[in-house]
């Protein structure tokens, strides 16, 4: 096949002409699609690439090799930098963790000393006031006020309400199953607040949540994914203890809005809710804070 024929896709330049008739019209050759498919096995672009000079291909390979070496060098430098920085990061984490543990220990020591001094003050006060009738009257008034403020520990019968977050294996990826968008947490601070208020309404004389006594200026709040009671973190399962008449409180609490919400969470999200009566609950004393009153100018 000549070069002219190859340029026409494998067809002769005389194709379509009548060579036996004089003055016959000149016809434009029409290539055959079937003949093109059978004769040309490579696209023209591939054919041109096949005939490219060897030197051009070597140049292309050289550029690709250089690019690969540059990428490898960048990754090697990144790995070396990460390895050099990792020990410093680990050391910083250890220093911070040691600082946190030291601060926690200092807090525990200070709390223990405060409690010991408070006990000494209480003993000295009772020793001085129990000597006469007027002092005993003052002590009775102080005991009543301290109990109302949650400043004294309490032990007695009552109700134990335990609320547990659902199992993490439960599928909550669907937005419709999330109480807070983008969070897997189901039990919120307002749920515990409503349960505590319902226990007060049911006749509780003292209440604690997660081992923290509920009293004046004590709040139940949420910070991110953590639950705070009096600024102390508590975790699931959340234990709510209420000292009071067990049977009477149980009957009222069963029909309260607090338990109704917990039962709804139990049905909808798999939250664990248990309510049991107990004869020996122990509630700690609450932290007593100074209450400051503001008084406006006289009218």
């Amino acid at each position: 096949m000549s070069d002219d024929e190859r340029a026409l896709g494998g067809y002769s330049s005389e194709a379509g002409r009548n060579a036996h008739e004089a003055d016959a019209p000149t016809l434009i050759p029409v290539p055959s699609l079937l003949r093109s498919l059978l004769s040309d096995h490579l696209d023209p672009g591939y054919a041109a690439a096949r005939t490219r000079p060897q030197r051009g291909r070597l140049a292309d390979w050289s550029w690709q090799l250089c690019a690969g070496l540059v990428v490898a060098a960048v990754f090697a430098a990144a790995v070396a930098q990460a390895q050099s920085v990792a020990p410093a990061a680990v050391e910083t984490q250890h220093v911070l963790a040691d600082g946190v543990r030291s601060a926690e220990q200092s807090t525990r020591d200070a709390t223990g000393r405060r409690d010991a001094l408070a006990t000494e003050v209480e003993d000295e006060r009772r020793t001085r006031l129990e000597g006469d009738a007027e002092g005993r009257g003052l002590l009775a008034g102080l005991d009543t006020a301290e109990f109302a403020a949650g400043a004294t520990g309490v032990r007695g019968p009552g109700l134990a309400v335990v609320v547990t977050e659902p199992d993490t294996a439960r599928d909550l990826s669907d937005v419709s199953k999330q109480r807070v968008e983008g969070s897997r947490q189901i039990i919120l601070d307002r749920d515990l607040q409503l349960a505590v208020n319902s226990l007060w309404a049911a006749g509780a004389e003292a209440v604690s949540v997660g081992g923290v006594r509920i009293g004046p200026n004590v709040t139940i709040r949420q910070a991110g994914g953590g639950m705070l009671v009096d600024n102390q973190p508590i975790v699931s399962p959340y234990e709510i203890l209420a000292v009071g008449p067990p049977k009477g409180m149980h009957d009222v609490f069963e029909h309260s809005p607090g338990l109704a919400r917990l039962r709804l969470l139990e049905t909808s999200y798999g939250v664990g809710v248990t309510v049991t009566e107990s004869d020996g609950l122990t509630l700690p004393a609450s932290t007593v804070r100074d209450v400051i009153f503001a008084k406006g100018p006289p009218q």
Side-chain angles (χ1 to χ4, degrees):
M1 183 181 294
S2 65
D3 293 339
D4 292 339
E5 291 176 352
R6 189 178 302 278
L8 291 174
Y11 312 107
S12 173
S13 59
E14 299 298 326
R17 297 177 182 273
N18 192 336
H20 301 287
E21 297 182 6
D23 300 327
T26 301
L27 301 178
I28 299 174
V30 180
S32 170
L33 177 60
L34 180 58
R35 187 183 303 172
S36 174
L37 294 174
L38 294 176
S39 61
D40 289 346
H41 304 293
L42 287 177
D43 184 87
Y46 286 103
R50 185 182 62 182
T51 59
R52 182 178 300 174
Q54 185 71 15
R55 182 177 300 176
R57 289 199 296 270
L58 290 176
D60 291 343
W61 292 343
S62 299
W63 280 111
Q64 293 175 3
L65 180 60
C66 291
L69 291 175
V70 170
V71 172
V74 170
F75 276 105
V79 171
Q81 184 178 5
Q83 290 177 348
S84 63
V85 173
V90 172
E91 182 65 24
T92 302
Q93 291 176 356
H94 288 320
V95 171
L96 292 175
D98 292 341
V100 170
R101 285 191 289 267
S102 177
E104 290 178 345
Q105 184 61 43
S106 298
T107 301
R108 286 192 292 268
D109 294 342
T111 301
R113 179 166 176 75
R114 179 204 63 190
D115 294 341
L117 292 175
T119 301
E120 292 181 8
V121 171
E122 176 67 17
D123 293 341
E124 183 68 19
R125 182 176 61 185
R126 288 189 174 277
T127 300
R128 292 177 178 273
L129 293 179
E130 285 178 346
D132 53 37
E134 184 179 359
R136 288 191 292 272
L138 290 174
L139 281 177
L142 286 173
D143 291 340
T144 302
E146 288 180 346
F147 181 80
T152 57
V154 176
R155 179 177 175 84
L159 287 183
V161 182
V162 180
V163 187
T164 308
E165 287 278 0
D167 188 0
T168 55
R170 186 180 177 89
D171 183 12
L172 296 178
S173 59
D174 185 5
V175 175
S176 63
K177 301 296 283 185
Q178 297 178 353
R179 294 190 72 192
V180 179
E181 185 177 356
S183 173
R184 289 180 175 269
Q185 189 171 11
I186 301 301
I187 304 172
L188 306 180
D189 51 3
R190 55 179 175 266
D191 304 322
L192 300 183
Q193 293 169 6
L194 185 58
V196 169
N197 289 335
S198 296
L199 287 171
W200 286 123
E205 300 174 6
V207 178
S208 70
V209 178
V212 181
R213 181 74 172 273
I214 303 298
N217 298 326
V218 174
T219 60
I220 302 174
R221 290 288 183 266
Q222 220 166 343
M227 194 77 68
L228 302 177
V229 180
D230 197 23
N231 291 326
Q232 300 183 39
I234 61 173
V235 296
S236 175
Y238 305 113
E239 185 180 46
I240 307 174
L241 303 181
V243 171
K247 182 61 177 175
M249 279 199 306
H250 200 169
D251 293 341
V252 177
F253 187 64
E254 280 292 336
H255 303 90
S256 67
L259 186 59
R261 175 178 291 183
L262 295 180
R263 295 300 186 193
L264 179 60
L265 296 178
E266 182 181 35
T267 303
S268 302
Y269 299 96
V271 171
V273 180
T274 60
V275 181
T276 57
E277 299 180 11
S278 177
D279 293 330
L281 299 179
T282 301
L283 277 62
S286 175
T287 301
V288 178
R289 296 181 176 86
D290 294 335
V291 179
I292 301 175
F293 295 91
K295 184 177 181 181
Q299 299 295 329

